[in-house]
Amino acid sequence: MKAIILAAGYGTRLNRDLQNDKSGDFKHLHGIPKPLLPVGHQPLISHWMTTINKIDSIDVVYVITNDLYYGHFEDWAKEFQQVKVVNDGTRSNEERLGAIACLQLVITQFNIIDHILVLGGDTLFYEDFSLSDILAKFDELQNINCESNLVLSYLCKDEETGKVGILEINEKFQVTGFKEKPHSTETTSRRACPCFYIYSKSTVPLIEKFLQDKQNSPLEERDAPGNFLLWVHSRKPVFIHQICGRFDVGNLPMYTECTKYFQKSCNT
């Protein structure tokens, strides 16, 4: 299995919050890409490496970033032998390729013919998160049907549906629908889907097919990773694994909440 960490964003919302912050408490964060922000005793992305390093079945971790932050990630990656940093060649938010195109860039460049674990570089989960349990669930699904895929889900509040992707499932916990940031009246489901996907090797080639189908569509349809999930769940079986919740460090309040949570964890 290969892990691909999506880290090519430009953090526009967080940068806007930092520019507007008058407290001066966060001025040291200016210019730091979100995955490298300090969380607890290490950068956010290093929490992932601590977890991944315990998994023998993941042999390579690709971090896809942009040309603006490429040097930052190269410096960070020096302590991780299995990390390869990939440059998408862009230098501004207006030039961005979109998350799904970045994913395909890695797949093509390294000729990946394997299962892939895809995760957002600005995302962390609560302490109940167990990567080994999730991979065991994926293996179980593979033994039943080698085309199966696995995503995560947690329950959100009514007022949060418009901020997240929402999964609809059947009695077998298989995904039957996906809605990107719906109004609470558009679906009865409250199963939020974070940026964490395990795609089987038989599903990986469909990412290129998705991009071909969407080549004339607006960038937004090729950017949000959930749009591929929306497209693929009717073509390949996708199942969910339930977790308690996540931190999506998209703005300053969420970053503050995340750092408090992990600092408390470090002190206990």
Side-chain angles (χ1 to χ4, degrees), residues 20-41:
N20 293 333
D21 177 64
K22 306 301 182 183
S23 70
D25 295 339
F26 304 100
K27 58 183 180 181
H28 61 291
L29 302 180
H30 285 277
I32 301 176
K34 287 192 295 182
L36 295 179
L37 291 170
V39 175
H41 62 284

Side-chain angles (χ1 to χ4, degrees), residues 3 43 84 104 122-123 152 226 260 264:
K84 297 182 184 297
Q104 183 59 41
D122 57 358
T123 299
L152 299 187
K260 287 180 179 178
K264 182 179 179 181

Side-chain angles (χ1 to χ4, degrees), residues 8-10 64-67 86-106 109 210-211 214 217-224:
Y10 289 88
I64 175 78
T65 187
N66 54 58
D67 191 54
V86 185
N87 189 339
D88 77 355
T90 70
R91 292 193 60 83
S92 71
N93 190 57
E94 291 70 31
E95 296 177 349
R96 73 190 188 280
L97 302 182
I100 306 170
C102 282
L103 184 57
Q104 183 59 41
L105 177 65
V106 175
Q109 185 170 328
F210 167 84
L211 290 170
K214 299 292 184 179
S217 301
L219 174 60
E220 288 71 22
E221 292 190 28
R222 290 170 279 125
D223 193 5

Side-chain angles (χ1 to χ4, degrees), residues 205 215-216:
Q215 61 182 337
N216 296 320

Side-chain angles (χ1 to χ4, degrees), residues 7 34 47 76 84 126 133 150 169-171 174 180-181 188 193 201 203 208 213 235:
K34 287 192 295 182
H47 288 272
W76 163 81
K84 297 182 184 297
Y126 296 169
D133 288 351
L150 185 64
I169 65 171
N170 62 20
E171 67 281 357
Q174 181 174 347
E180 183 66 42
K181 300 178 180 178
T188 58
C193 181
K201 64 176 68 176
T203 299
E208 184 176 19
D213 284 0
R235 294 167 169 85

